[in-house]
Amino acid sequence: MKIFIETIIVIVLGIMSMFYLTLEIWKGKHPFNEKLQKLWRKRKKILIYCFLSILSGIGLTILFHYIYHYNTLIMNIRLLTLMMLLFPIAWVDYQKHIIPNKLILFGMILRIPYMLIEMTLYTESFVPMVKDIFYAIIFVLIMFIICAVVIKTGIGMGDIKLLAMIGLYQGFSGMFSSLFMSLTIAFIIAIVLLISRRKKKQDMIPFAPALLLGTLISIAITGV
């Protein structure tokens, strides 16, 4: 029953993601014919990408069921929701170098009912979870100060907001693991792009796709 509920949620969120990405391509002040042609050109990529997101989500549900069977249903749903949100965010960041605020806000609002359910059903583990989330937010704030005052380049405000959302869903321990994996992947991608001369040192490399892969690998390895 648990795996069935999680699979349904993954499929629903995957379909919602497909509609969102379609609207992202459609919006703008371009003529109707231009929008239609652009959407037609990218239809296969969107379908394949959303299919892969659903496939990844179902893969995680199987891992949760057979390996991390001690996880609660709401915990699994929370992690799957995070993953399914990261897919459209990564797509938009890759295409436009922008972190969509609407998805970040949607993810943060959606976290509220999950937290209320956890507070009601799992009172013993709720306080430690809130502390973990608090530490994650403090960590993100420190990163924001460092990026804004000291570094001034590299990780942008959109990436900071995205990390804050990840911290709300994973807590400090899960977010730190995801961030470590993501930075490793981002470093490897940057090296490959520089060696292949597809990017120059001054070019911006979107971080959300690396965060997507890093978080997916982290959850698959740790279950949190």
Side-chain angles (χ1 to χ4, degrees):
M1 185 63 179
K2 194 160 82 167
I3 195 170
F4 175 75
I5 294 170
E6 292 166 8
T7 302
I8 293 297
I9 288 171
V10 165
I11 293 171
V12 169
L13 289 173
I15 293 170
M16 288 173 64
S17 173
M18 184 179 67
F19 279 112
Y20 175 82
L21 294 180
T22 302
L23 288 172
E24 274 293 307
I25 293 171
W26 187 262
K27 73 179 185 181
K29 297 181 179 179
H30 303 291
F32 178 81
N33 287 340
E34 258 184 58
K35 290 180 181 179
L36 201 60
Q37 288 172 9
K38 189 178 179 182
L39 186 59
W40 183 255
R41 286 196 304 270
K42 294 197 174 183
R43 73 192 190 283
K44 287 184 179 178
K45 288 183 179 179
I46 291 175
L47 285 171
I48 291 170
Y49 188 74
C50 291
F51 175 75
L52 287 175
S53 72
I54 292 171
L55 204 63
S56 300
I58 292 172
L60 282 180
T61 63
I62 293 169
L63 276 178
F64 291 153
H65 184 71
Y66 290 103
I67 298 176
Y68 306 110
H69 48 82
Y70 47 82
N71 282 6
T72 62
L73 175 61
I74 188 63
M75 181 180 178
N76 290 347
I77 291 173
R78 170 163 48 88
L79 294 173
L80 290 169
T81 300
L82 173 63
M83 282 311 312
M84 299 308 291
L85 282 170
L86 286 176
F87 272 95
I89 290 172
W91 170 284
V92 174
D93 191 32
Y94 180 77
Q95 296 288 331
K96 301 181 179 181
H97 295 274
I98 294 171
I99 302 294
N101 287 324
K102 288 179 182 178
L103 286 179
I104 298 291
L105 183 61
F106 175 73
M108 288 182 172
I109 292 172
L110 195 59
R111 183 68 180 92
I112 296 170
Y114 290 170
M115 191 172 285
L116 290 174
I117 293 169
E118 288 169 313
M119 182 177 66
T120 305
L121 298 180
Y122 308 101
T123 51
E124 290 182 4
S125 59
F126 181 72
V127 174
M129 184 193 72
V130 171
K131 285 183 180 178
D132 207 31
I133 291 173
F134 176 75
Y135 296 145
I137 299 302
I138 294 297
F139 178 78
V140 171
L141 286 174
I142 292 170
M143 282 194 66
F144 166 70
I145 293 168
I146 291 171
C147 291
V149 179
V150 182
I151 301 175
K152 296 184 180 180
T153 55
I155 297 178
M157 268 304 299
D159 297 321
I160 295 294
K161 286 183 280 188
L162 181 54
L163 279 174
M165 188 190 78
I166 291 172
L168 284 175
Y169 277 83
Q170 284 191 291
F172 176 74
S173 52
M175 184 195 70
F176 190 81
S177 173
S178 295
L179 182 59
F180 176 78
M181 290 286 183
S182 303
L183 288 171
T184 304
I185 291 168
F187 177 75
I188 294 169
I189 291 172
I191 293 296
V192 170
L193 290 174
L194 288 171
I195 291 174
S196 62
R197 296 183 180 179
R198 293 178 64 183
K199 293 281 185 181
K200 297 178 182 178
K201 286 183 180 179
Q202 64 271 22
D203 291 339
M204 285 183 64
I205 298 173
F207 188 48
L211 266 174
L212 165 65
L213 291 174
T215 305
L216 180 61
I217 293 169
S218 175
I219 292 173
I221 292 173
T222 63
V224 296

